[in-house]
């Protein structure tokens, strides 16, 4: 089998960023942080159909820059990368709302014996996603990092390259906005407007 020079060159270029990558460290990073990265991408509005690809993109970037990531600062680096990848994903797909039927279909295919419980959890996550979707992206990001990922203001400030005062302000506004939206959503549910 013959490979032309351009194919071999392209393969070498693709492998180049990973040549000096510490495979063990990258594997530990992936094992320890894949679920939080995936969850944060989803909570920042990346649609279900794209979230796996975007999570992979986060770890490709991490692999390329692994030698620059300080020990103990991996989480901050990954969440900062998640923020940028999610923002790019949202821009590329525009403002269209995701069809949530695919999530409902996932529940129906799940053979787990506790389907009612899983359906309730899935519905609560769907409601959370719908409320979060209505928040401005900057507020949403701070709220997700603080309330869902349990990060401190100083950690969020480092990840997003903001002052702690700006983080505190966005956090306060996000909580107020979230509570108003949640109350409206709850009222609609109580009135039977949303099934």
């Amino acid at each position: 089998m013959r490979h032309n020079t351009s194919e071999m060159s392209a393969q070498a270029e693709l492998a180049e960023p990973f040549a000096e990558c510490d495979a063990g460290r990258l594997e530990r990073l992936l094992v320890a942080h894949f679920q939080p990265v995936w969850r944060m991408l989803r909570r920042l509005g990346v649609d279900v159909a794209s979230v796996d690809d975007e999570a992979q993109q986060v770890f490709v970037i991490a692999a390329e820059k692994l030698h620059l990531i300080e020990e103990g600062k991996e989480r901050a680096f990954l969440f900062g990368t998640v923020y940028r990848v999610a923002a790019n994903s949202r821009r590329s797909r525009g403002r269209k709302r995701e069809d949530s039927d695919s999530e409902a279909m996932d529940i129906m295919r799940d053979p787990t014996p506790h389907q009612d419980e899983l359906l309730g959890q899935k519905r609560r996550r769907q409601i959370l996603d719908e409320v979060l979707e209505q928040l401005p992206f900057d507020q949403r990001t701070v709220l997700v990092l603080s309330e869902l990922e349990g990060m401190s203001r100083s950690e969020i400030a480092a990840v997003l390259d903001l002052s702690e005062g700006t983080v505190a302000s966005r956090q306060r506004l996000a909580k107020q906005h979230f509570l108003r939206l949640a109350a409206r959503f709850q009222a609609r549910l109580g009135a039977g407007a949303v099934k």
Side-chain angles (χ1 to χ4, degrees):
M1 180 174 193
R2 285 180 51 141
H3 295 286
N4 67 34
T5 308
S6 64
E7 281 181 24
M8 291 172 64
S9 174
Q11 289 174 348
E13 284 179 36
L14 191 60
E16 191 174 309
F18 305 104
E20 295 183 29
C21 179
D22 177 352
R25 184 175 180 211
L26 183 60
E27 183 178 353
R28 289 188 302 276
L29 196 70
L30 185 63
V31 168
H33 298 285
F34 182 81
Q35 289 181 349
V37 163
W38 192 97
R39 187 175 55 242
M40 188 174 163
L41 283 165
R42 185 68 190 102
R43 296 295 174 244
L44 291 180
V46 175
D47 62 69
V48 173
S50 301
V51 75
D52 287 336
D53 292 337
E54 300 299 357
Q56 181 179 358
Q57 180 63 27
V58 169
F59 285 100
V60 166
I61 292 167
E64 291 171 346
K65 298 184 179 194
L66 194 59
H67 64 284
L68 300 173
I69 305 171
E70 292 180 44
E71 290 286 337
K73 304 275 185 175
E74 296 89 353
R75 182 178 181 210
F77 176 86
L78 288 172
F79 284 176
T81 304
V82 164
Y83 173 75
R84 289 182 292 282
V85 167
N88 289 339
S89 177
R90 288 172 56 88
R91 272 193 300 273
S92 70
R93 76 176 169 107
R95 284 291 197 185
K96 72 176 184 179
R97 301 224 10 129
E98 174 184 348
D99 181 11
S100 61
D101 289 347
S102 64
E103 290 187 50
M105 291 302 291
D106 288 345
I107 293 171
M108 288 186 228
R109 283 187 230 126
D110 188 357
T112 306
H114 305 287
Q115 289 181 352
D116 290 342
E117 183 179 327
L118 289 175
L119 185 59
Q121 289 175 358
K122 195 74 149 181
R123 181 66 183 141
R124 286 188 296 276
R125 278 193 298 266
Q126 183 181 13
I127 291 168
L128 175 63
D129 288 344
E130 289 177 25
V131 173
L132 286 174
E133 184 67 34
Q134 296 178 40
L135 290 175
F137 188 68
D138 290 342
Q139 290 179 18
R140 178 182 185 163
T141 301
V142 170
L143 189 69
V144 167
L145 289 173
S146 64
E147 299 301 319
L148 301 178
E149 296 303 328
M151 293 178 75
S152 70
R153 283 187 184 150
S154 60
E155 289 175 312
I156 296 168
V159 166
L160 301 179
D161 196 24
L162 299 170
S163 71
E164 286 190 46
T166 300
V167 171
S169 175
R170 288 183 185 178
Q171 190 176 26
R172 181 182 48 75
L173 290 170
K175 284 180 180 180
Q176 290 171 351
H177 197 173
F178 181 86
L179 291 173
R180 280 193 309 270
L181 290 168
R184 271 192 248 151
F185 196 89
Q186 188 68 24
R188 285 193 342 237
L189 282 175
V194 179
K195 296 180 183 179

